[in-house]
Amino acid sequence: MAPLPPLETLRVFEVACRHGSYSEAARELHVTHSAVSQRIRQLEEELGLTLFERQGNRMAPTPAGLRLQAGVKGAFSELNAALGSLHTRRADAELTVSLLPVMAARWLVPRLSRFTARYPYINLHIKTGQSLANFTSDGVDIAIRFGTGDWRGLRAIKLFGEEFFPVCSPSLNGGRLPKDPVAMLSEPLLIDRNLSWRAWFKSAGLKLDRDIVGTSFTDTNALMEAAVTGQGIALGRLSITRSDMLAGKLVRLSDHGLRVAYCHYAVYPTSSESNPALVAFRDWLVAEAQRG
């Protein structure tokens, strides 16, 4: 059997693939850009393959790189699981996860059965709230946060971006659903205090000359339930409406989505990377985000 490349080189390769950027990989690994570039070049020379190609500002994996990424990612996941089982055979691992209530209910919880089936020895404690978790005083191990990814002293791994678009129940108005932004103004609009209908209408090419009025919500779960039960049109987030759309409870009323600079991240203290249970959960989150 041919000798394997060093594990550290494969780790650098996997992180570079995940980010599509040597600079972002260097930032995550706390090394220089040139160190990442050198590792990738050595790996390419050893394999006799081109693993990355430049596409604008990105370093995109080639078809060969994508095949290797799939194998490396699976191997690291299995290795983490094996190491975790060694450390937790005598006592199950405990992991506290912090996130917004709506993300817990409509994104994380529907997927958790896949995690518990794979890692039955890791007991998760789901802690929801509107405020950012304090990793020192709140007993939180890892969080899912929405923002720029810049939290001092913490490692932030991007899960997925976000876009906003109007959704409603397929039974709204007897099934006679509005087909354009102007028609939507004739229907009851449900207002999320954290999102701007005006911004969406403007991005769709419609400048409003009046304020949006209607029932408003500070809790996104309550807002989505109002939309599901046919009480009006909500400005939905892709991350939390996808399951309801797949189930036929909600329909998207416009192909136009308002994309934002903020993204969803898995966030944890850098010192926690020695915790096999946390690493296993982090890698599972990344895989679920890509799967979605």
Side-chain angles (χ1 to χ4, degrees):
M1 184 175 63
L4 292 174
L7 283 180
E8 182 58 29
T9 296
L10 293 175
R11 178 62 173 164
V12 171
F13 166 77
E14 187 276 329
V15 175
C17 281
R18 175 153 40 85
H19 287 290
S21 165
Y22 289 1
S23 297
E24 290 298 320
R27 186 173 293 112
E28 177 177 331
L29 296 167
H30 296 288
V31 297
T32 64
H33 180 284
S34 61
V36 172
S37 179
Q38 183 178 6
R39 287 274 189 176
I40 299 299
R41 186 168 58 253
Q42 290 172 346
L43 183 59
E44 289 179 325
E45 291 174 353
E46 183 174 343
L47 298 177
L49 296 169
T50 300
L51 301 175
F52 289 91
E53 59 185 5
R54 181 169 293 282
Q55 294 181 359
N57 294 327
R58 297 186 70 252
M59 294 300 294
T62 63
L66 289 173
R67 290 196 299 272
L68 181 59
Q69 179 193 17
V72 168
K73 184 177 177 181
F76 273 116
S77 180
E78 292 299 325
L79 183 58
N80 281 327
L83 290 171
S85 67
L86 291 176
H87 286 285
T88 57
R89 188 167 298 277
R90 294 182 181 178
D92 286 352
E94 305 284 332
L95 205 63
T96 299
V97 185
S98 169
L99 70 167
L100 292 170
V102 68
M103 281 295 290
R106 296 181 181 271
W107 191 85
L108 180 62
V109 171
R111 293 166 165 81
L112 275 184
S113 60
R114 289 195 286 268
F115 180 81
T116 55
R118 186 168 186 178
Y119 302 102
Y121 56 84
I122 300 178
N123 297 320
L124 295 179
H125 303 289
I126 309 301
K127 184 175 184 178
T128 62
Q130 298 293 337
S131 58
L132 294 183
N134 185 312
F135 290 94
T136 302
S137 60
D138 293 346
V140 170
D141 298 296
I142 186 170
I144 299 177
R145 289 184 179 177
F146 186 57
T148 62
D150 183 20
W151 291 284
R152 182 175 298 179
L154 299 175
R155 178 69 50 78
I157 307 296
K158 180 179 175 181
L159 298 176
F160 48 83
E162 190 64 278
E163 68 171 309
F164 307 101
F165 45 82
V167 294
C168 71
S169 166
S171 64
L172 179 72
N173 198 22
R176 298 183 299 276
L177 304 181
K179 299 182 182 301
D180 58 69
V182 174
M184 292 178 201
L185 291 171
S186 300
E187 301 293 338
L189 298 180
L190 305 172
I191 302 169
D192 186 332
R193 289 294 189 184
N194 299 309
L195 300 178
S196 170
W197 266 114
R198 183 179 294 274
W200 183 85
F201 278 114
K202 181 179 179 180
S203 70
L206 182 61
K207 186 176 181 180
L208 299 182
D209 57 3
R210 63 179 176 83
D211 292 332
I212 299 293
V213 295
T215 306
S216 65
F217 299 81
T218 57
D219 179 75
T220 309
N221 264 324
L223 170 80
M224 299 317 301
E225 283 304 309
V228 166
T229 54
Q231 298 179 44
I233 302 173
L235 194 56
R237 312 179 188 199
L238 177 61
S239 60
I240 63 174
T241 58
R242 184 174 182 272
S243 59
D244 284 332
M245 289 192 293
L246 290 174
K249 296 179 181 180
L250 290 174
V251 293
R252 179 170 178 164
L253 295 178
S254 173
D255 290 334
H256 174 71
L258 175 60
R259 292 188 175 274
V260 294
Y262 283 13
C263 296
H264 297 273
Y265 292 86
V267 184
Y268 54 91
T270 55
S271 59
S272 297
E273 289 193 322
S274 60
N275 181 346
L278 184 143
V279 171
F281 183 70
R282 179 204 65 190
D283 290 348
W284 176 81
L285 284 177
V286 171
E288 285 295 316
Q290 293 176 347
R291 176 177 182 168

